[in-house]
Amino acid sequence: MISGISVSPGIVFGKILLIKEEKICINNTKIQEQDINLEIKKFFDARNKTIQQIQLIQNSNTTKLEHDQNAIFEGHIMLIEDEEFEHDILSLIKNKHCSAEYAVNSVIEKQVTTIENLQDEYLKNRAIDIRDIGARLIKNILNINIIDLKNINESVIIVANDLTPSETAQIDTKKIIGIITNQGSRTSHTSIMARSMEIPAIVGVINATKIIKKNDFIILDSINNEIFINPDKNILNLKKKLKTKFVIQKNNLKKIKNLNAITTDEHQVEIGANIGTPQDIKGAKKNGAECIGLYRTEFLFMGKKKLPSENEQFEMYKIIAQEMGNKPVIIRTMDIGGDKNLPYIKLPKEENPFLGCRAIRISMLYKEILHTQIKAILRASVFGKLRIMFPMIISIEEVKFLKITIKKIKEELKNEHCDFDKNIKIGIMIETPAAAIISHNLAKEVDFFSIGSNDLTQYTLAVDRGNDLISNLYNPLNPAVLHLIQRIIISAHKEKKWVGICGELASDERATLLLLGMGIDEFSMSSSYIPHIKNIIRKSNFKECQKIAKLALLEPTTTKLTSILQKHLDKINKN
Ligand code: PEP
Ligand code: MG
């Protein structure tokens, strides 16, 4: 049995498709003068072939492929059609007498090394994109067969080093039933795609492609983070039973997913989805989201070579607004900084990026970014029910400044005779201890709050949310965090404002009864968790939850508090 990081839940068993890196032999000997034109022709032919292959994937996937994947492929084509890229390659062939594949490889490697040296999580993913398209181009120069995931005619579990964006775009969920990769994290491209396609996946399995062999039979149990290679009958039978149970549970949840999130004593809350791209709306709707409680717009900013224009942003927000119709969509202004950087905004290196120029601080430093984004949201607001939300607020001054900015942009739009929702709701994320402590005053200034429990936990406990070394200390069920959450809810309600939660705690079943009891009005989470949390809410009693919350908050330790919550959750789950 081996394991890694479970990123998409489920149990599947079957044959595997081992995607081994093809050995690419690059000719590094100098070519003859008379072969220069031949090598140049090889490059151009391969480039045309590569573009055709990519366009074929794009065309054959139109129903599945939505904006973001198209953008990834557009980016690939743009990269190999780039004049500078072409110039650098031709110059190596002509002046240094390099073979076509050697020239392409050198230029790609140079770009990748520059990016990888920046130690930036997002750019590292872009480096994968560059390598992906570079490898395809080189394979085409060398006439190496490229594995086309579309041609698979039986169900398989893919085992690969990692899947490239172009590979994930070709996945047919009827054929590819599971994914195991050597590399990856919860937020890597493959993980995000596996979750959105609901394919069970375990990533970050060290040496998976070496340990698992071509004809092996695999059980992939990403509920328990277990991969069994050629298991015995007992294990297989056990896992078959577990799978049946999981499928029954999932099907039962399907029946309730479109019902209201209402307790047995008729206390109703709203359940929304967190999305990163318009593509995620499909999953949100499928799982019964009543709203988009958090649209993380930074992904729109990150997938580009330059700042997306007002029109580009407008189009994106418009699609989301229209897709969701009369269901509210909370658009959070970009939360760049911390571990998410933009290649086109050069900020000085910071010692503590999470305490540095992040989120609203960047928007306020580069006011044109804020202006463009708000204008685009306001213009799109007539196509649905949009709300604006600002991340990482710490003061009343910031909120006042943001409200004035919105007012000015509204004036501008009026003068331009451009329509917008005049009563658009303005909210803030409460994700810093500062905002939580002054929430009684902040609540007077805005229409709603959304609790960012991920950051609220990291800033309250002074525990970096991405640091493995201290991950045992990162616990949103720490009483310190929960008391702040209680304070935030009380502050909002005192001013008759509603308060939601969009951090991971919203989908943590141990916290559902507690949050309900504390009076949270809206839960927003990754779509696939919605039916399960809705089910718990529908089985619980609000008055009971209020008592549980009161009791739990009296507990001085995380351990005791968690065990109280677990005990009550177990009771609910038995029903
Ligand atoms: C949070 O901090 O809880 C949150 C939802 O925002 P993000 O995870 O994008 O920082
Ligand atoms: Mg946050």
Side-chain angles (χ1 to χ4, degrees), residues 332 335 358 429 431 452 454-455 465:
R332 176 177 79 180
D335 183 359
R358 183 191 165 189
M429 290 201 65
E431 52 182 348
N454 305 341
D455 278 314
R465 63 195 253 190

